[in-house]
Amino acid sequence: MADMETALKELMTIDGAIGVALVDYNSGMALGVLGGSKDLDLTVAAAGNTDVVRAKMRTIEMLNLKDGIEDILITLNNQYHLIRPVTGRSGKGLFLYLALLRSRANLALARHQLSRVEDEMEI
């Protein structure tokens, strides 16, 4: 089991990673961030992506789908943004946010690694 800091460091080793955050989607607050840049403020991204997660959860509920979110992909011109809710008991109400450079990232591999880290993470 990896703690939050170890999990974030491991996610930053993914080819093309430019920033990662663990976010509480009830408050919109980032519990931990690593990476980022002057063009990518992870605190702002955490708050904004909280709205994305909440909207999708409301939509699933309104449609009476008996399902959950595995991950959400936002594709920008130069970046991929991956959002993955933490499913373990200790991670209820949290999600991982990973920003990648499209030119360097292997999306399938990044999703696989994000899933593995989420499975192994202990909050």
Side-chain angles (χ1 to χ4, degrees), residues 10-43:
E10 187 169 346
L11 290 171
M12 282 301 293
T13 67
I14 295 172
D15 198 26
I18 54 177
V20 64
L22 179 65
V23 185
D24 177 343
Y25 64 75
N26 294 306
S27 68
M29 301 294 292
L31 305 178
V33 297
L34 202 55
S37 66
K38 65 178 178 62
D39 297 324
L40 179 62
D41 183 330
L42 290 170
T43 304

Side-chain angles (χ1 to χ4, degrees), residues 21-78:
L22 179 65
V23 185
D24 177 343
Y25 64 75
N26 294 306
S27 68
M29 301 294 292
L31 305 178
V33 297
L34 202 55
S37 66
K38 65 178 178 62
D39 297 324
L40 179 62
D41 183 330
L42 290 170
T43 304
V44 172
N49 284 308
T50 296
D51 293 335
V52 172
V53 172
R54 287 179 187 159
K56 192 60 193 172
M57 289 181 147
R58 274 193 312 274
T59 303
I60 289 170
E61 186 177 319
M62 289 187 304
L63 293 171
N64 285 326
L65 298 176
K66 304 299 181 227
D67 213 343
I69 299 168
E70 182 176 339
D71 62 34
I72 298 169
L73 169 64
I74 300 167
T75 305
L76 305 178
N77 290 330
N78 298 307

Side-chain angles (χ1 to χ4, degrees), residues 56-114:
K56 192 60 193 172
M57 289 181 147
R58 274 193 312 274
T59 303
I60 289 170
E61 186 177 319
M62 289 187 304
L63 293 171
N64 285 326
L65 298 176
K66 304 299 181 227
D67 213 343
I69 299 168
E70 182 176 339
D71 62 34
I72 298 169
L73 169 64
I74 300 167
T75 305
L76 305 178
N77 290 330
N78 298 307
Q79 297 176 1
Y80 293 124
H81 291 209
L82 282 167
I83 299 167
R84 184 174 184 90
V86 178
T87 57
R89 281 183 319 187
S90 64
K92 191 88 170 131
L94 304 177
F95 68 87
L96 286 165
Y97 165 68
L98 174 64
L100 303 157
L101 288 174
R102 275 182 77 165
S103 62
R104 293 191 45 218
N106 176 324
L107 185 56
L109 186 56
R111 288 184 71 226
H112 175 73
Q113 290 175 290
L114 183 59

